[in-house]
Amino acid sequence: MPLNEPETSLISRRSLLRGGLSLTAAAGAGPLLSACSGGSGSSDGVAADGTVTITMWHGQADQGKATLDKLVADFQRRNRKIKVNASSGGVLADSMLQKITTALSSGQYPDIAYIFGPDIASVARSPQVAHLGKFTKEPSLRWDDFYPAARDAVTVDGEARGFPALVDNLCVAYNKKVFKAAGVPEPTASWSWDDFVATARSLTNPSQGVFGTGWPADGGEDCVWRIYPMIWDAGGDIVNKDGTKVAFDGDSGLQALTTINQLGKDKSVYPDTKPGSETMYQIFSNNKMGMVATGPWQLPDFVDNKTEYGVVPLPTYNGNPVTIAGPDTWTVFDNGSARVEAAVKFLTFLTNGAQDVQWASQAGSLPLRNSTAESAGWRKHVSSTTGLDVFSQALGYARTRPTIPTYPKISQPLGQAIVKMLLDKATPQDALDEAVQTANAALATG
Amino acid sequence: MTMQLMGREPRRRFLPFSPWHLVLLPVSLIFALPLFWLALSSFMTNAQINRFPPTIIPNSLHLDGYRYVLNNALFPRWFLNSVIVSVVVVFGNLVFGSLAGYAFARMRFRGSKLLLTLMLGTLVIPFQITMIPTFLLMKYLGVIDTLGALIVPSLVTPFAVFLLRQFFLSLPREIEEAAWMDGCSRLRTLWVIVLPLARPALGTVAVLTFLTTWNDLAWPLIAINNDHNYTLQLGLTTFQGQHRTQWAAVMAGNMITVLPVLIAFLAAQRTFIQSLTSSGVKG
Amino acid sequence: MKRLFGETPDAWGFVLPSVVIILGLSIVPMIWSLILSMQSSDLVTPARWLGLTNYRVLSHDPAFRAAVIHTLVYTVLFVPLSIAGGLGLALMLNRRIRFIGLYRTMVFVPFVISAAAQGVLFSFIFDAHFGIANAILSWFGVGPQGFFADSNQALLLLVLIGLWSGLGFCVVVYLAGLQDIQQELLEAAAIDGARAWGTFRYVVWPALRPVTIFLAIWETLQALQLFDLVFVTTRGGPLESTTVIVFFVWNQAFQLFNAGYGAAAAYVLAFTLLIVSIGLRFARRNQTEEVGG
C-alpha cells in the first residue's frame, strides 16, 4: 500500500483550470475580437437614428475592390442615411456560391452578394432571396434601360431577384503575330465554322509548339458555355420550354460536337485541363496560339502583355450573328424591408451612368445599360481599347443561359462530352447520346 | 554502414565527409523544388511570370511582388491573425493532447477504448459536409467572423491525442511505475517525468499542428467575412482576381508565409534530437 | 473510492477537455449529416424526408461506384508507399552529418507549401504540351505523355504528387519515433554483434510499432479523404477519372445542390470504415492486448 499518496481530486485542479481558462478565453475573445471587426448582418440593420446598414460581399480583389470602395464612398456621401459594409466576403467570386450556400443555411447572410449568372437560379431556391418585382416596375429605375441579356440574367421565374453586375460576351481574339508568321489571312466578321477549323489547322505548327486555337477542357462552365452559340446557331437550344428535357439532342448538338471533334482530331486545339483557363490565355499572349474565343475581361491582360491582337465576332454556321452573354449578378437577400430598400437604392446608383462606366472599364466588362453604351465616357473608353467595340456591338444579339435551378445538371454532362471531343476519345454521336441521356435523367428527378 | 550512435557528446561531431550526402542532396532537392520555383518567381514581374512556357531563371530580379504585398495595409494584420490562431491552437493541442494521450496510454479506465475509437471516428466524415453544421455551432457560440471560430474547433484534435498516445505507449513503463510507486500522482508523473522524455513527440505535434493551422484555407474561407479578420492564407487569395492574378504578389506573399516557418523548423532541429536520458532502465 | 472505480475518475479528468471539444463539437455535425443523408436537401430550402432512398440510389449510381474505385486505388497505392518511403527517408535522415538539419527541412518543404501553389506548380510541370516533365522524358527517348490530360494516367500522377507532398509528414513522425528508441537497446544490440539490418529488424522496427500503426491509420484516413489536390489540379477529370469520394460529395452538395445525396455518400464511407474497424477489433482479440486499448 503506497504511503503518502497525495489526494487527487476527482478532476485534477490543474486540468480544470487549464480547461476553463482556454474555453473562457476562446469564448471571451470571440466577442472581443468581433468588436474590433465590422461584423456582418445584425438583426434588422436599422439604427436608432434611422441609418440603415447593409452588407455586401462583392468577391472582388485588387482593382475591382478598389473601384468598389471608391463607388461605395461616393454613394455614402450622397446618402447619409445608408451605410454600406462592402467586403469581398472572405472569398473570391469563384467561391462565393459555396459561401452563400453556407450562409443561407445558417440564417446569417449579407444583403448583396456577387453571384455568377448560372448560379442565381440555384441560390434563388432559397426563400431568403429578395423579390424585386415591385422595385423594377418603378420608372425611376429605368429597368428597361438594361440590356435584355443583363435583365434576363437576374430574372428567375419572371421576377428580378437582383441587379445585373457585369455583362460580357464571347468573340474571337486573334494573335496578329501568329497569323503573320503562318502566312494566314486574318479572319473577317462573316466567317463560318468551316473557315475557323481550316484556319486553326493551318496555324498549327507542332514543331514550333504553336496551336491554332484553345478550349478549356476541365468540363467546367467555361468549357461548356462556348458551345451554346453553336447550338443556337444550328437551331437548337439548351432546354425545352418547361425545362424537362434538353433541346440539343438532335442535329444541333451533333453539328456542334462534330466541329469541336474536328479540332481535336486535327490537334489544332490546345485542351486546357487546368481549372481556371489561365494557361490557355497565357499561351495566346505568348504568341503560341493563333486565336481563342474570349470575353472583354481578357483584353486588359493582352494589353499588359503587349500582345498584338484583333477581335472578330464568333464564326457562324448560317451567317446569322449569334453569341452568348455571361452576365453576373448582384443578388439581393431579404434581411427585412428596410435593408432591401437600401440595397436597391445602392445598386441603382452603382449601375447608373458614370458609375457603370467606371465599373465596366476597370472590370474589363461592358456597359449594363443602353444609355451607358451611348455615353461619352464609355465611347472614350472603347476607342482606347482595341476590339472592345466588337464586343460592345455583339451585346445586341447576345443570348443567355436559362435561369433554372437544374442548369448545373445539364452543364456537367455536356462538359464531359465536349472534353471527349477535344481529346478525341469518342465519336460525336456517342458523346452526344451519353450527355443527353445523363442530363435528361437528372432533369427528370428534378 | 553502422548506425550512428546518438547522444554521445553534447556537441555534434561530424564525419569529415559522409557518403550519405550523395544520396540525401539530390533527394532533398526534389522535395525542395517548389521552394526554389516560388523563390525565383517571387522576384519576377507579372509579365515575366505570365510568359509561357514559364521562365525558369529570370534575367532580372524585381521586388514588385514584395512591394505589392507589403503595401497592403492589412497584410501585417493578417500575419498577426495567423500567428495568434496557430499559436493558441498549438498550445491547446499540446496541453489537452498530452493529458488525454497519457490517459489513453497508461490508465485503465472504463470506456477508454470506446472513447478513442469515437475520437478517431470523428475524422471519417469529410469536412465538406461537417463544415456547415460546424458553422452553425460557431454561429450559436457567437464567434463567426472572429478568430474564435478558427480556434475553438481545432483547440484539440484527434491527431494530437492519438499521436501522443502512441508515443507514450512506446516509452518504457518502468520509469513511470517507479515514480508512481514512490507516491507521485499521475499528473506529476506526466509533467515531471514523461513529458521531458517526449520532447520529440511534443515537437512533432507542435510543428504539424502549427503548419496545418497556418495553411488552412477552407475553413477560414467559410467562417470569416471581414477582411480585418483574415488569416494570411485567406488574405493571399485576394491577390487573385476573377480573371487576372497578381502572380508576383501571390508568390511573394507565399514566400513571406513560408520562409519564417521553414527557418523556425530548421532552427528547431535541435529539439528533435533528444537530450540524454541516462536514467534509462537501470533500477 | 479508488478501489471501486479504479483510475476511472482521474482518467476522465485527463480526457475531459479533449472529449468536450473533439466529441462535443463533432456530435452535432455527425448527427446533422446523418439526418441530411436521409433527406432531399439543397441546403437553402426546407428538406424533404427520404429515409434510405439516397442510399438505395447510391448503390446503383455508376458515378459513385467509380468514385469509390478511384479512392480505393489511390489509397491502396498511397498508404504503403508513404509508410515505406517515410521510414526509408527517416532512417537516412537520422544521422549526424553536416547539413542534416537542412536536408530534413528540405524534405519537409512540400508540407509547408499550400495546396493551391502545388496545383499551379504541378500543372505547369506536367502540362502535356509545354511541361518540363515531357521535355525530360524526351531526353530519354520517351514519347510525350498525356499526364493530366490522360484519364489513365491522371490518378497515378496524383498518387505521385500526393506522396511527394505527404512524405514529409511521415518522415517527421518517424524521426521523432527513432529519437525515442532507447540508447541502451541500440548499444546492447551493437555489443551483441548485430549489424544494421539486424538492429533494424529486432530493435528498431518493433520499437516503432506504435508509430507505424499511427501512420498507417492516419495516412489511410487522409487518402480516403483526398480532396484538395484533386480540386486544384484536375477537378475530378479528365473525364471523371480522378473523381474521388470527397470530390463526389462536394460536387453533389455545392455544384448540383444535392446535399442530402452527398451526405449519404459520405456516410457510406463512414459506415464502411466502421465495419472494417469493428472487424479489425475482433481480429485483435486473438492477439495480446495493449494497455488502454
Side-chain angles (χ1 to χ4, degrees):
Chain A
M1 177 96 118
L3 300 161
N4 302 327
E5 196 182 20
E7 259 306 290
T8 48
S9 50
L10 218 53
I11 300 172
S12 103
R13 251 178 301 130
R14 250 201 246 172
S15 56
L16 180 62
L17 267 173
R18 281 202 198 113
L21 239 135
S22 305
L23 282 174
T24 324
L32 259 179
L33 290 161
S34 75
C36 301
S37 78
S40 67
S42 50
S43 48
D44 72 337
V46 185
D49 61 351
T51 315
V52 183
T53 308
I54 57 173
T55 309
M56 171 162 95
W57 289 353
H58 52 64
Q60 303 294 313
D62 199 33
Q63 217 24 50
K65 178 174 182 309
T67 309
L68 273 174
D69 285 342
K70 240 186 288 172
L71 293 172
V72 165
D74 207 4
F75 175 77
Q76 286 185 160
R77 246 186 326 207
R78 304 173 195 221
N79 294 272
R80 296 277 169 194
K81 288 284 188 177
I82 302 182
K83 190 167 168 321
V84 180
N85 265 336
S87 77
S88 71
V91 286
L92 291 176
D94 324 49
S95 309
M96 185 61 79
L97 184 59
Q98 189 171 317
K99 180 110 187 191
I100 276 290
T101 310
T102 310
L104 284 171
S105 68
S106 77
Q108 191 167 325
Y109 44 89
D111 299 285
I112 305 172
Y114 187 95
I115 305 276
F116 287 159
D119 295 333
I120 187 175
S122 305
V123 173
R125 294 169 189 236
S126 165
Q128 288 137 326
V129 177
H131 294 263
L132 301 180
K134 62 175 185 178
F135 295 102
T136 56
K137 293 203 187 67
E138 295 281 326
S140 55
L141 214 89
R142 296 182 300 142
W143 188 248
D144 292 329
D145 189 22
F146 284 113
Y147 279 105
R151 288 201 308 263
D152 288 340
V154 298
T155 307
V156 183
D157 287 335
E159 186 178 9
R161 313 302 290 273
F163 272 66
L166 185 133
V167 275
D168 53 23
N169 57 55
L170 273 183
C171 293
V172 175
Y174 61 92
N175 187 319
K176 294 193 177 178
K177 250 205 186 121
V178 176
F179 270 77
K180 218 179 293 175
V184 176
E186 293 180 5
T188 59
S190 50
W191 56 335
S192 69
W193 278 108
D194 287 337
D195 295 333
F196 183 89
V197 172
T199 311
R201 204 179 299 138
S202 31
L203 288 168
T204 304
N205 192 336
S207 59
Q208 302 267 339
V210 176
F211 284 89
T213 184
W215 196 294
D218 62 341
E221 194 54 28
D222 195 14
C223 166
V224 176
W225 80 318
R226 292 156 188 262
I227 202 181
Y228 294 137
M230 300 161 87
I231 292 178
W232 285 326
D233 195 6
D237 203 343
I238 304 179
V239 271
N240 60 7
K241 287 243 174 7
D242 27 323
T244 50
K245 273 189 182 322
V246 301
F248 51 79
D249 45 344
D251 287 332
S252 55
L254 190 58
Q255 194 170 12
L257 285 177
T258 310
T259 309
I260 301 177
N261 193 211
Q262 191 58 49
L263 293 171
K265 280 208 178 71
D266 293 343
K267 295 213 195 312
S268 57
V269 64
Y270 173 80
D272 189 357
T273 51
K274 180 159 161 282
S277 312
E278 274 205 42
T279 313
M280 189 172 79
Y281 292 123
Q282 279 178 332
I283 300 178
F284 178 86
S285 284
N286 282 287
N287 307 320
K288 296 270 186 214
M289 188 185 289
M291 35 185 198
V292 69
T294 183
W297 67 75
Q298 201 64 32
L299 297 182
D301 214 40
F302 296 156
V303 171
D304 277 350
N305 284 321
K306 304 207 183 9
T307 319
E308 284 173 42
Y309 69 96
V311 180
V312 284
L314 284 179
T316 63
Y317 288 118
N318 302 314
N320 306 317
V322 63
T323 185
I324 182 169
D328 293 331
T329 74
W330 294 118
T331 307
V332 179
F333 299 92
D334 198 340
N335 272 310
S337 55
R339 288 166 71 159
V340 173
E341 271 182 42
V344 170
K345 213 170 181 174
F346 173 64
L347 287 174
T348 312
F349 170 80
L350 190 63
T351 56
N352 255 345
Q355 293 80 33
D356 191 13
V357 176
Q358 273 186 57
W359 170 248
S361 353
Q362 73 74 30
S365 156
L366 299 168
L368 299 164
R369 292 174 175 278
N370 276 300
S371 55
T372 319
E374 287 153 23
S375 72
W378 178 252
R379 294 245 181 102
K380 188 153 152 279
H381 175 70
V382 164
S383 57
S384 63
T385 314
T386 318
L388 200 50
D389 52 331
V390 180
F391 286 107
S392 229
Q393 276 163 15
L395 261 185
Y397 52 80
R399 294 170 63 169
T400 53
R401 288 159 288 192
T403 48
I404 48 174
T406 47
Y407 174 72
K409 301 190 183 174
I410 304 170
S411 165
Q412 282 195 5
L414 190 50
Q416 294 304 312
I418 297 174
V419 173
K420 280 187 207 148
M421 297 294 93
L422 290 169
L423 299 177
D424 196 19
K425 293 275 185 212
T427 66
Q429 188 64 59
D430 286 341
L432 180 66
D433 289 339
E434 197 179 330
V436 168
Q437 203 179 20
T438 315
N440 280 338
L443 284 175
T445 60
Chain B
M1 282 187 290
T2 56
M3 278 179 67
Q4 296 269 322
L5 295 178
M6 300 177 289
R8 198 84 77 73
E9 295 90 21
R11 297 226 120 257
R12 297 192 196 188
R13 178 101 75 84
F14 302 125
L15 283 183
F17 178 79
S18 167
W20 279 106
H21 286 290
L22 294 174
V23 176
L24 285 176
L25 187 60
V27 168
S28 321
L29 279 178
I30 294 178
F31 283 96
L33 202 69
L35 191 61
F36 299 139
W37 168 72
L38 205 65
L40 281 175
S41 307
S42 71
F43 291 109
M44 296 197 220
T45 61
N46 279 337
Q48 284 174 308
I49 298 179
N50 268 325
R51 217 160 287 157
F52 203 93
T55 340
I56 316 260
I57 314 275
N59 47 15
S60 54
L61 295 180
H62 306 263
L63 288 176
D64 292 9
Y66 289 98
R67 233 176 272 137
Y68 188 91
V69 169
L70 295 171
N71 275 340
N72 188 311
L74 285 174
F75 190 80
R77 180 74 192 258
W78 296 340
F79 199 90
L80 183 66
N81 288 340
S82 279
V83 168
I84 292 175
V85 172
S86 305
V87 166
V88 174
V89 167
V90 166
F91 183 71
N93 272 282
L94 286 179
V95 167
F96 300 132
S98 305
L99 288 172
Y102 188 67
F104 282 124
R106 293 294 190 232
M107 303 187 197
R108 303 185 104 94
F109 60 101
R110 276 248 189 83
S112 81
K113 280 186 200 159
L114 180 64
L115 264 187
L116 190 61
T117 315
L118 278 181
M119 282 199 186
L120 285 181
T122 63
L123 295 171
V124 169
I125 302 292
F127 170 76
Q128 284 66 22
I129 292 287
T130 60
M131 74 180 179
I132 294 191
T134 312
F135 184 84
L136 283 165
L137 271 174
M138 293 299 116
K139 174 171 166 256
Y140 182 68
L141 286 176
V143 292
I144 288 291
D145 209 13
T146 69
L147 296 184
L150 302 179
I151 293 177
V152 170
S154 313
L155 205 53
V156 55
T157 60
F159 164 69
V161 172
F162 191 23
L163 182 62
L164 287 171
R165 171 197 185 248
Q166 300 301 100
F167 270 97
F168 293 148
L169 276 178
S170 69
L171 293 174
R173 316 175 55 98
E174 292 79 7
I175 312 176
E176 298 163 56
E177 309 238 299
W180 183 233
M181 293 296 174
D182 281 349
C184 236
S185 75
R186 281 296 196 183
L187 193 58
R188 243 178 90 72
T189 316
L190 174 63
W191 178 248
V192 172
I193 299 196
V194 177
L195 284 184
L197 284 180
R199 266 178 44 203
L202 290 175
T204 308
V205 170
V207 167
L208 294 174
T209 308
F210 182 87
L211 278 172
T212 319
T213 317
W214 187 258
N215 277 344
D216 190 15
L217 178 59
W219 174 243
L221 199 114
I222 300 287
I224 304 287
N225 305 326
N226 189 296
D227 52 8
H228 285 268
N229 293 332
Y230 286 177
T231 58
L232 209 47
Q233 292 293 340
L234 201 50
L236 284 182
T237 64
T238 65
F239 299 149
Q240 290 169 249
Q242 193 176 338
H243 294 293
R244 309 175 58 189
T245 303
Q246 297 283 354
W247 278 112
V250 171
M251 298 306 180
N254 267 302
M255 279 302 282
I256 299 180
T257 310
V258 157
L259 260 189
V261 176
L262 281 178
I263 292 176
F265 184 77
L266 187 56
Q269 285 297 309
R270 289 186 171 272
T271 66
F272 281 96
I273 308 217
Q274 191 188 331
S275 53
L276 265 203
T277 57
S278 56
S279 42
V281 191
K282 333 185 207 73
Chain C
M1 187 143 80
K2 267 249 150 47
R3 242 164 286 154
L4 266 178
F5 294 110
E7 285 200 84
T8 308
D10 282 344
W12 273 92
F14 274 61
V15 301
L16 197 62
S18 304
V19 167
V20 165
I21 293 187
I22 296 179
L23 290 183
L25 288 182
S26 302
I27 291 187
V28 168
M30 308 274 286
I31 299 180
W32 184 92
S33 320
L34 188 59
I35 296 178
L36 181 65
S37 75
M38 299 199 253
Q39 295 174 326
S40 162
S41 166
D42 56 13
L43 294 174
V44 294
T45 53
R48 223 182 352 128
W49 184 257
L50 286 181
L52 294 175
T53 310
N54 280 333
Y55 291 95
R56 222 176 296 135
V57 175
L58 270 176
S59 60
H60 296 303
D61 189 345
F64 183 63
R65 204 170 305 147
V68 171
I69 293 176
H70 297 148
T71 312
L72 284 178
V73 168
Y74 182 86
T75 307
V76 161
L77 287 174
F78 178 77
V79 177
L81 284 175
S82 65
I83 292 190
L87 183 55
L89 278 173
L91 287 171
M92 283 201 274
L93 289 169
N94 190 33
R95 56 199 64 248
R96 289 171 175 243
I97 57 177
R98 211 181 294 268
F99 301 135
I100 195 67
L102 193 63
Y103 291 138
R104 287 180 190 160
T105 311
M106 280 161 71
V107 166
F108 197 57
V109 160
F111 196 74
V112 174
I113 308 275
S114 66
Q118 287 183 28
V120 173
L121 173 70
F122 284 107
S123 299
F124 272 143
I125 292 182
F126 289 107
D127 187 286
H129 299 278
F130 298 102
I132 305 176
N134 266 336
I136 294 179
L137 281 180
S138 68
W139 296 345
F140 295 103
V142 181
Q145 304 294 309
F147 292 131
F148 284 132
D150 186 334
S151 42
N152 292 325
Q153 294 183 344
L155 192 60
L156 298 175
L157 199 54
L158 285 183
V159 173
L160 274 178
I161 299 177
L163 279 175
W164 175 88
S165 64
L167 273 178
F169 175 85
C170 298
V171 167
V172 165
V173 173
Y174 264 131
L175 270 177
L178 285 170
Q179 308 286 356
D180 247 5
I181 297 176
Q182 294 301 297
Q183 269 310 99
E184 290 70 18
L185 293 175
L186 290 171
E187 285 177 16
I191 290 172
D192 279 350
R195 299 186 318 144
W197 175 247
T199 317
F200 177 77
R201 186 150 168 235
Y202 294 109
V203 179
V204 176
W205 179 248
L208 286 178
R209 196 157 158 264
V211 174
T212 306
I213 293 177
F214 167 79
L215 279 176
I217 296 179
W218 193 261
E219 294 295 293
T220 306
L221 285 173
Q222 296 297 308
L224 291 171
Q225 305 235 343
L226 181 68
F227 177 77
D228 283 344
L229 191 57
V230 172
F231 189 78
V232 299
T233 52
T234 58
R235 291 283 163 95
L239 302 176
E240 297 176 334
S241 59
T242 57
T243 301
V244 289
I245 295 182
V246 179
F247 190 84
F248 179 87
V249 170
W250 174 84
N251 190 36
Q252 290 294 328
F254 292 102
Q255 302 286 101
L256 298 175
F257 285 83
N258 265 343
Y261 195 59
Y267 258 96
V268 167
L269 180 61
F271 287 138
T272 314
L273 281 175
L274 184 67
I275 294 173
V276 165
S277 67
I278 292 180
L280 280 177
R281 286 226 164 265
F282 274 120
R284 285 248 304 259
R285 290 239 165 159
N286 303 334
Q287 301 172 7
T288 46
E289 231 173 291
E290 291 173 272
V291 173

Coordinates of all heavy atoms in Angstrom, one line a residue, chain C residues 16-53:
Chain C
L16 N -11.2 14.8 -20.2 CA -12.5 15.6 -20.3 C -12.3 16.8 -21.3 O -13.2 16.9 -22.2 CB -12.9 16.1 -19.0 CG -14.4 16.5 -19.0 CD1 -15.3 15.4 -19.3 CD2 -14.8 17.1 -17.6
P17 N -11.3 17.6 -21.2 CA -11.3 18.7 -22.1 C -11.3 18.3 -23.6 O -12.0 18.8 -24.4 CB -10.0 19.5 -21.8 CG -9.6 19.0 -20.5 CD -10.2 17.6 -20.3
S18 N -10.5 17.2 -23.8 CA -10.4 16.7 -25.2 C -11.8 16.2 -25.6 O -12.2 16.4 -26.8 CB -9.4 15.7 -25.3 OG -8.1 16.1 -24.9
V19 N -12.4 15.5 -24.7 CA -13.7 14.9 -25.1 C -14.7 16.0 -25.4 O -15.4 15.9 -26.4 CB -14.2 14.0 -23.9 CG1 -15.7 13.7 -24.2 CG2 -13.4 12.7 -23.9
V20 N -14.7 17.0 -24.5 CA -15.7 18.1 -24.7 C -15.5 18.7 -26.1 O -16.4 18.9 -26.9 CB -15.5 19.1 -23.6 CG1 -16.2 20.4 -24.0 CG2 -16.1 18.6 -22.3
I21 N -14.2 19.0 -26.4 CA -14.0 19.7 -27.7 C -14.2 18.8 -28.9 O -14.9 19.1 -29.8 CB -12.6 20.4 -27.7 CG1 -12.7 21.6 -26.6 CG2 -12.3 21.0 -29.0 CD1 -11.5 22.4 -26.6
I22 N -13.5 17.7 -28.8 CA -13.5 16.8 -30.0 C -14.9 16.2 -30.2 O -15.5 16.4 -31.3 CB -12.4 15.7 -29.9 CG1 -11.0 16.4 -29.9 CG2 -12.6 14.8 -31.1 CD1 -9.9 15.3 -29.8
L23 N -15.3 15.5 -29.2 CA -16.6 14.8 -29.4 C -17.8 15.8 -29.3 O -18.7 15.8 -30.1 CB -16.8 13.7 -28.4 CG -15.9 12.5 -28.6 CD1 -16.2 11.5 -27.5 CD2 -16.1 12.0 -30.0
G24 N -17.6 16.8 -28.4 CA -18.7 17.7 -28.2 C -19.0 18.5 -29.5 O -20.1 18.6 -29.9
L25 N -17.9 18.9 -30.2 CA -18.1 19.7 -31.4 C -18.4 18.8 -32.6 O -18.8 19.3 -33.6 CB -16.9 20.6 -31.7 CG -16.7 21.8 -30.7 CD1 -15.5 22.6 -31.2 CD2 -18.0 22.6 -30.8
S26 N -18.2 17.5 -32.4 CA -18.5 16.7 -33.6 C -19.8 16.0 -33.5 O -20.3 15.5 -34.6 CB -17.4 15.6 -33.7 OG -16.1 16.2 -33.8
I27 N -20.4 15.8 -32.3 CA -21.6 15.1 -32.3 C -22.7 15.8 -33.1 O -23.3 15.1 -33.9 CB -22.1 15.0 -30.8 CG1 -21.2 14.1 -30.0 CG2 -23.5 14.5 -30.7 CD1 -21.7 13.8 -28.6
V28 N -22.8 17.1 -32.9 CA -23.8 17.7 -33.7 C -23.6 17.6 -35.2 O -24.5 17.2 -35.9 CB -23.9 19.2 -33.3 CG1 -24.8 20.0 -34.3 CG2 -24.5 19.3 -31.9
P29 N -22.4 17.9 -35.7 CA -22.2 17.7 -37.1 C -22.5 16.3 -37.6 O -23.0 16.1 -38.7 CB -20.7 18.1 -37.4 CG -20.4 19.0 -36.3 CD -21.2 18.6 -35.1
M30 N -22.1 15.3 -36.8 CA -22.3 13.9 -37.3 C -23.8 13.6 -37.4 O -24.3 13.0 -38.3 CB -21.6 12.9 -36.3 CG -20.2 13.2 -36.0 SD -19.0 12.5 -37.2 CE -19.1 10.8 -36.8
I31 N -24.5 14.0 -36.4 CA -25.9 13.7 -36.4 C -26.6 14.5 -37.5 O -27.5 14.0 -38.2 CB -26.6 14.0 -35.0 CG1 -26.0 13.2 -33.9 CG2 -28.1 13.8 -35.1 CD1 -26.5 13.4 -32.6
W32 N -26.2 15.8 -37.6 CA -26.8 16.6 -38.6 C -26.6 16.0 -40.0 O -27.5 16.0 -40.8 CB -26.1 18.0 -38.5 CG -26.7 19.1 -39.4 CD1 -27.7 20.0 -39.2 CD2 -26.2 19.4 -40.8 NE1 -27.8 20.8 -40.3 CE2 -26.9 20.4 -41.2 CE3 -25.2 18.8 -41.6 CZ2 -26.7 21.0 -42.5 CZ3 -25.0 19.4 -42.8 CH2 -25.7 20.4 -43.3
S33 N -25.3 15.5 -40.2 CA -25.0 15.0 -41.5 C -25.8 13.7 -41.8 O -26.3 13.4 -42.9 CB -23.5 14.6 -41.7 OG -22.8 15.6 -41.1
L34 N -26.0 12.9 -40.7 CA -26.7 11.7 -40.8 C -28.2 12.0 -41.2 O -28.7 11.3 -42.2 CB -26.7 10.9 -39.5 CG -27.3 9.5 -39.6 CD1 -26.5 8.6 -40.6 CD2 -27.2 8.8 -38.2
I35 N -28.8 12.9 -40.6 CA -30.1 13.3 -40.9 C -30.2 13.8 -42.3 O -31.1 13.5 -43.1 CB -30.7 14.4 -39.9 CG1 -30.8 13.8 -38.5 CG2 -32.0 14.9 -40.4 CD1 -31.2 14.7 -37.5
L36 N -29.2 14.7 -42.7 CA -29.2 15.2 -44.0 C -29.1 14.1 -45.1 O -29.7 14.2 -46.1 CB -27.9 16.1 -44.2 CG -27.8 16.8 -45.5 CD1 -28.9 17.8 -45.8 CD2 -26.4 17.6 -45.5
S37 N -28.4 13.0 -44.7 CA -28.2 12.0 -45.7 C -29.5 11.2 -46.0 O -29.7 10.5 -46.9 CB -27.2 11.0 -45.2 OG -27.7 10.1 -44.2
M38 N -30.5 11.5 -45.1 CA -31.8 10.8 -45.3 C -32.8 11.8 -45.8 O -34.0 11.5 -45.7 CB -32.3 10.2 -44.0 CG -31.2 9.1 -43.6 SD -31.9 8.0 -42.4 CE -31.1 8.5 -40.9
Q39 N -32.4 12.9 -46.4 CA -33.3 13.9 -46.9 C -32.9 14.2 -48.3 O -31.8 14.0 -48.8 CB -33.2 15.2 -46.0 CG -33.6 15.0 -44.6 CD -33.4 16.3 -43.9 OE1 -32.4 17.0 -44.1 NE2 -34.3 16.6 -42.9
S40 N -33.9 14.9 -49.0 CA -33.6 15.5 -50.2 C -33.4 17.0 -49.9 O -34.4 17.7 -49.6 CB -34.7 15.3 -51.2 OG -34.6 16.2 -52.3
S41 N -32.2 17.5 -50.0 CA -32.0 18.8 -49.5 C -31.0 19.6 -50.4 O -30.1 19.0 -50.9 CB -31.5 18.8 -48.1 OG -31.0 20.1 -47.7
D42 N -31.3 20.9 -50.6 CA -30.3 21.7 -51.3 C -29.7 22.7 -50.4 O -29.0 23.6 -50.8 CB -31.0 22.4 -52.5 CG -32.2 23.2 -52.1 OD1 -32.3 23.5 -50.8 OD2 -32.9 23.6 -52.9
L43 N -29.9 22.5 -49.1 CA -29.3 23.4 -48.0 C -30.0 24.7 -47.9 O -29.7 25.4 -46.9 CB -27.8 23.6 -48.2 CG -27.0 22.3 -48.0 CD1 -25.5 22.6 -48.4 CD2 -27.1 21.8 -46.6
V44 N -30.7 25.2 -48.9 CA -31.3 26.5 -48.8 C -32.8 26.5 -48.7 O -33.4 27.6 -48.4 CB -30.8 27.5 -49.9 CG1 -29.3 27.7 -49.8 CG2 -31.1 26.9 -51.2
T45 N -33.4 25.4 -49.0 CA -34.9 25.4 -48.9 C -35.2 24.2 -47.9 O -34.4 23.3 -47.7 CB -35.6 25.1 -50.2 OG1 -35.0 23.9 -50.8 CG2 -35.4 26.2 -51.2
P46 N -36.4 24.2 -47.4 CA -36.8 23.1 -46.4 C -36.6 21.8 -47.1 O -36.9 21.6 -48.3 CB -38.2 23.4 -46.1 CG -38.4 24.8 -46.4 CD -37.4 25.2 -47.4
A47 N -36.1 20.8 -46.3 CA -35.8 19.5 -46.9 C -37.0 18.6 -46.9 O -37.9 18.7 -46.2 CB -34.6 18.9 -46.1
R48 N -36.9 17.6 -47.7 CA -37.9 16.5 -47.8 C -37.3 15.2 -47.3 O -36.2 14.9 -47.6 CB -38.3 16.4 -49.3 CG -39.7 16.3 -49.6 CD -40.1 16.0 -51.0 NE -39.0 16.1 -51.9 CZ -38.7 15.1 -52.8 NH1 -39.4 14.0 -52.9 NH2 -37.7 15.3 -53.7
W49 N -38.1 14.5 -46.4 CA -37.6 13.3 -45.8 C -37.7 12.2 -46.9 O -38.6 12.0 -47.6 CB -38.5 12.9 -44.6 CG -38.0 11.7 -43.9 CD1 -38.5 10.5 -44.0 CD2 -36.8 11.7 -43.1 NE1 -37.7 9.6 -43.2 CE2 -36.7 10.3 -42.6 CE3 -35.9 12.6 -42.6 CZ2 -35.7 9.9 -41.8 CZ3 -34.9 12.2 -41.7 CH2 -34.8 10.9 -41.3
L50 N -36.6 11.4 -46.9 CA -36.5 10.4 -47.9 C -36.2 9.0 -47.3 O -36.1 8.0 -48.0 CB -35.4 10.7 -48.9 CG -35.6 11.8 -50.0 CD1 -34.4 11.9 -50.9 CD2 -36.8 11.4 -50.8
G51 N -35.9 9.0 -46.0 CA -35.5 7.7 -45.5 C -34.2 7.2 -46.1 O -33.2 8.0 -46.2
L52 N -34.2 6.0 -46.6 CA -33.0 5.4 -47.1 C -32.9 5.5 -48.6 O -32.0 4.9 -49.2 CB -32.9 3.9 -46.7 CG -32.7 3.7 -45.1 CD1 -32.8 2.2 -44.8 CD2 -31.4 4.3 -44.7
T53 N -33.7 6.3 -49.2 CA -33.7 6.4 -50.7 C -32.4 6.8 -51.2 O -31.9 6.2 -52.2 CB -34.8 7.4 -51.2 OG1 -36.0 7.1 -50.5 CG2 -34.9 7.3 -52.7

